[in-house]
Amino acid sequence: MALIVQKYGGTSVGSVERIQAVAQRVYKTVQAGNSLVVVVSAMGKTTDGLVKLANEISPNPNRREMDMLLSTGEQVTIALLSMALQELGQPAISMTGPQVGIVTEAEHSRARILHIETTRLSRHINEGKVVVVAGFQGTSSAGEMEITTLGRGGSDTSAVAIAAALKANFCEIYTDVPGILTTDPRLVAEAQLMDAITCDEMLELASLGAKVLHPRAVEIARNYGVPLVVRSSWTDQPGTWVTSAKPQGRSLINLEIARPVDHVEFDTDQAKVALLRVPDKPGVAARLFGEISRQKVDVDLIIQSVHEGNSNDIAFTVTTPILKRAEAVATAIAPALRSQSNPKFDEAEVMVEHNIAKVSIAGAGMIGRPGVAAKMFATLAEAGVNIQMISTSEVKVSCVVDANQCDRAVLALRTAFEIEVGEQGAGSRGEFLTPNSSLLNPHSPSPVRGVALDLNQARLAIRQLPDRPGMAAKLFGLLAQHNISVDMIIQSQRCRVIDGVPRRDIAFTVSQIDGENAREMLTQVAAELGWGEVVLDSAIAKVSIVGAGMVGQPGVAAKMFEALAQQEINIQMIATSEIKISCVVVKEQGVKALQAIHAAFELAGSEKFVVPA
């Protein structure tokens, strides 16, 4: 007999008929000999309706009162589903988040789970009841029994956290699609269903805008080794399994806030090649990395900075043994990238740096916890280590530094994040905490597992930051203090000396709702900190590819860039990690970019998916 946690989203319980259908599915699962906890969301668009009511009362409603209001939506669902189960003769009991023992931070509207008191929950399970739990909510640990909510998508988080706390056999997430698809079926009807995907890949896709699973839920599954499957509420298809490696022993106390960093990794076998002043037009990145691919040069990190005038800088890192080949390719192609529209435009310049190293912190939920990257940058600044390049993802933040500062950087990071010597990453490229996805899905030969589009991003660019240790720490520390999460981070490769101070530009993306607040806050401190102009652009889209199989495949980036070039889509920024490549494009071209990339990697299947209304 298995202990299973099932979660049903708002569309799955959007009407009385759908609640009764869920009750039938739950009843069959119990009749098969399983014990069950069911976590549900509010019915349909209930939460949106409650938010609208609040906004009619107040343009800026109190967050505590919003939690009180929004938590009522799930309470309706749990009572109705319990009644439906009882009508079928199945003993059931409904419980709110506080009743079930979900204890959270005292942070209204975005609380993280601290621990779950499972005594009452376990008693009802042992009595043969189906326990129907209100997702998305808990109670603060301050002893005042304040109702808190976990943020939008929090029911996923509730379900996986309960599964971890109960040591359930697995957790099923029921939704309106048959599993995890290669992209949003609303944008590409032929999106293909995956049999399995690793937690690291799913974390990236979830953070990049794929809405089928909330990143925090995947983070918990990864950290605690909870087997997770995403299935359709409307069919009996097997769905998609989200797999994780065997977890390290973790305490269930401080469940969502304990130790975000598992490893400190480093690689001293690195060199950097930068092309300065390449034309800012479609096809440039495709030509460069197409030639790199043809010459079998394996590239690690790639960044393209925000444009300056009519040009960009593109930089990439390679391992030292292939540096000469990489430099030769870049030098050969540089003259061909000369601007045709402006004959006076300087030819692209190739710059090579030999003695560099990459240091990384690895874990889960990096982007969703803005303080983690800020702490890394502050730690490096305190150690006197200057950052040359930054790569961010949900599972890793990497910085390129001088090789002679690597040991100092690693020691400082291990101390700051309390990583024991035996837990340190081995330092080789391409190490993952989860198995290679190509082993999981033999039907998917492509190194790319999924394509994601985020239309809710804004880009901030700060001109002329002093190029010295501590600047990134100050900047991202300020954003972390205001709970603003940062995704892509790009430092320009060009350095200008102004009034005797070397300076660079830095650009980064944030959620659109945080864009204006971030611009105002940073503008207020810019003069005091010696920064230049702060520029906000909200008319952008971020399109990304994800796949653990991309490691050691130099042609993947070239194929992505070529797909965009064929559609005359200009790339404004590029940032990569080991399992992700992201490009910023003009917002109105975002959907076309996603469709072009999905087609280029031949991810479409023969079946068309229609998402229920």
Side-chain angles (χ1 to χ4, degrees):
M1 182 175 73
L3 172 58
I4 303 170
V5 177
Q6 293 183 343
K7 179 262 176 178
Y8 294 90
T11 54
S12 302
V13 292
S15 65
V16 168
E17 292 75 21
R18 289 184 176 179
I19 288 173
Q20 289 171 328
V22 167
Q24 288 284 354
R25 185 185 290 271
V26 170
Y27 180 68
K28 288 179 184 177
T29 305
V30 175
Q31 290 299 298
N34 302 296
S35 298
L36 215 58
V37 175
V38 180
V39 178
V40 293
S41 300
M43 294 175 64
K45 302 291 184 181
T46 298
T47 301
D48 292 337
L50 293 173
V51 170
K52 184 179 178 182
L53 282 174
N55 290 333
E56 288 175 2
I57 297 290
S58 169
N60 188 26
N62 179 276
R63 280 168 51 192
R64 178 191 182 276
E65 302 310 327
M66 284 299 291
D67 277 2
M68 291 291 284
L69 175 66
L70 298 184
S71 63
T72 63
E74 281 73 18
Q75 199 164 328
V76 171
T77 315
I78 59 174
L80 292 175
L81 180 54
S82 294
M83 293 174 191
L85 285 166
Q86 290 162 6
E87 284 298 304
L88 295 174
Q90 171 59 49
I93 184 169
S94 62
M95 297 177 74
T96 64
Q99 286 175 321
V100 89
I102 298 177
V103 179
T104 75
E105 302 170 301
E107 186 74 46
H108 288 293
S109 80
R110 55 175 181 239
R112 286 185 177 268
I113 297 171
L114 298 178
H115 62 277
I116 301 177
E117 302 282 357
T118 59
T119 305
R120 186 177 179 187
L121 187 56
S122 297
R123 186 177 76 245
H124 289 307
I125 294 169
N126 292 335
E127 291 170 353
K129 297 175 185 173
V130 171
V131 184
V132 184
V133 179
F136 171 69
Q137 61 183 243
T139 183
S140 69
S141 61
E144 298 174 353
M145 298 300 291
E146 288 288 302
I147 291 176
T148 54
T149 64
L150 311 181
R152 297 304 289 264
S155 292
D156 288 353
T157 307
S158 300
V160 182
I162 288 171
L166 290 173
K167 295 182 171 57
N169 294 86
F170 54 91
C171 179
E172 297 177 319
I173 304 291
Y174 284 92
T175 182
D176 53 5
V177 290
I180 298 166
L181 303 171
T182 49
T183 196
D184 187 341
R186 298 168 184 84
L187 303 178
V188 180
E190 298 83 8
Q192 190 172 353
L193 180 67
M194 300 184 217
D195 299 330
I197 188 170
T198 68
C199 269
D200 282 4
E201 291 170 320
M202 192 63 238
L203 263 175
E204 297 289 9
L205 287 172
S207 72
L208 293 167
K211 298 177 177 63
V212 69
L213 271 177
H214 196 278
R216 282 168 59 184
V218 185
E219 183 183 333
I220 296 169
R222 177 189 187 276
N223 288 341
Y224 292 92
V226 177
L228 192 58
V229 61
V230 179
R231 303 181 65 187
S232 170
S233 297
W234 325 111
T235 72
D236 291 322
Q237 292 183 17
T240 304
W241 284 91
V242 183
T243 66
S244 54
K246 186 177 180 180
Q248 301 172 357
R250 278 181 179 263
S251 170
L252 287 163
I253 304 299
N254 293 331
L255 189 145
E256 273 203 279
I257 66 172
R259 201 170 142 171
V261 175
D262 296 323
H263 302 277
V264 174
E265 302 173 358
F266 65 94
D267 185 354
T268 55
D269 192 23
Q270 292 259 309
K272 179 174 71 174
V273 179
L275 275 82
L276 310 184
R277 296 184 298 277
V278 298
D280 180 35
K281 63 181 182 181
V284 171
R287 290 185 67 183
L288 171 60
F289 289 98
E291 187 59 32
I292 285 172
S293 172
R294 282 188 287 275
Q295 297 300 323
K296 306 297 183 186
V297 175
D298 188 13
V299 172
D300 186 358
L301 303 182
I302 303 171
I303 66 164
Q304 177 181 300
S305 62
V306 64
H307 69 89
E308 183 174 332
N310 294 317
S311 68
N312 281 318
D313 301 337
I314 299 178
F316 56 91
T317 61
V318 295
T319 55
T320 305
I322 61 172
L323 173 60
K324 286 186 178 180
R325 203 171 355 140
E327 183 180 0
V329 172
T331 302
I333 201 171
L337 299 179
R338 182 181 299 170
S339 174
Q340 300 301 314
S341 60
N342 184 359
K344 295 182 180 179
F345 191 78
D346 290 336
E347 184 177 315
E349 176 189 349
V350 179
M351 183 176 68
V352 176
E353 288 190 45
H354 295 262
N355 298 314
I356 64 168
K358 182 177 70 174
V359 293
S360 310
I361 54 173
M366 300 287 183
I367 292 171
R369 302 185 190 190
V372 177
K375 183 176 180 178
M376 180 186 192
F377 303 151
T379 299
L380 294 177
E382 289 166 9
V385 176
N386 198 33
I387 300 170
Q388 298 181 24
M389 293 172 71
I390 299 170
S391 165
T392 58
S393 74
E394 274 288 355
V395 296
K396 189 176 288 188
V397 180
S398 299
C399 295
V400 171
V401 302
D402 283 338
N404 60 11
Q405 296 180 327
C406 180
D407 289 346
R408 194 192 325 161
V410 169
L411 180 61
L413 291 171
R414 281 176 44 206
T415 302
F417 290 103
E418 300 177 357
I419 304 298
E420 299 294 332
V421 176
E423 297 172 307
Q424 184 176 336
S428 61
R429 299 174 73 237
E431 284 191 79
F432 295 100
L433 302 178
T434 48
N436 189 308
S437 58
S438 62
L439 301 177
L440 294 171
N441 191 352
H443 306 297
S444 177
S446 173
V448 174
R449 306 303 314 286
V451 186
L453 175 67
D454 192 342
L455 295 171
N456 298 309
Q457 292 259 308
R459 179 181 61 219
L460 285 147
I462 304 177
R463 303 294 187 183
Q464 301 173 7
L465 265 79
D467 184 32
R468 57 174 179 255
M471 282 296 104
K474 281 192 174 73
L475 169 58
F476 297 106
L478 283 167
L479 294 168
Q481 287 171 23
H482 289 78
N483 205 37
I484 296 174
S485 293
V486 175
D487 187 359
M488 298 171 68
I489 302 174
I490 304 294
Q491 292 186 116
S492 68
Q493 295 303 298
R494 270 178 268 187
C495 190
R496 284 190 168 78
V497 178
I498 301 174
D499 297 329
V501 179
R503 296 173 180 272
R504 297 183 191 271
D505 297 341
I506 193 164
F508 53 92
T509 58
V510 298
S511 173
Q512 212 167 73
I513 60 173
D514 291 327
E516 185 56 41
N517 288 340
R519 188 196 66 79
E520 289 180 6
M521 182 263 292
L522 294 174
T523 299
Q524 289 171 5
V525 301
E528 175 191 340
L529 295 173
W531 300 347
E533 183 185 11
V534 180
V535 182
L536 173 66
D537 184 359
S538 297
I540 65 165
K542 182 180 66 178
V543 62
S544 307
I545 57 176
V546 171
M550 295 195 304
V551 176
Q553 302 252 5
V556 173
K559 183 179 283 191
M560 179 183 188
F561 302 153
E562 178 61 28
L564 296 176
Q566 287 177 359
Q567 298 296 319
E568 291 293 313
I569 296 173
N570 195 34
I571 301 172
Q572 299 183 8
M573 292 170 66
I574 300 170
T576 70
S577 69
E578 283 97 332
I579 63 172
K580 176 182 74 172
I581 302 174
S582 295
C583 295
V584 167
V585 301
V586 174
K587 188 168 190 173
E588 64 186 19
Q589 295 182 312
V591 172
K592 184 165 73 168
L594 175 137
Q595 292 168 340
I597 292 167
H598 193 270
F601 286 101
E602 301 178 355
L603 296 176
S606 57
E607 182 180 353
K608 289 191 176 184
F609 290 106
V610 179
V611 180

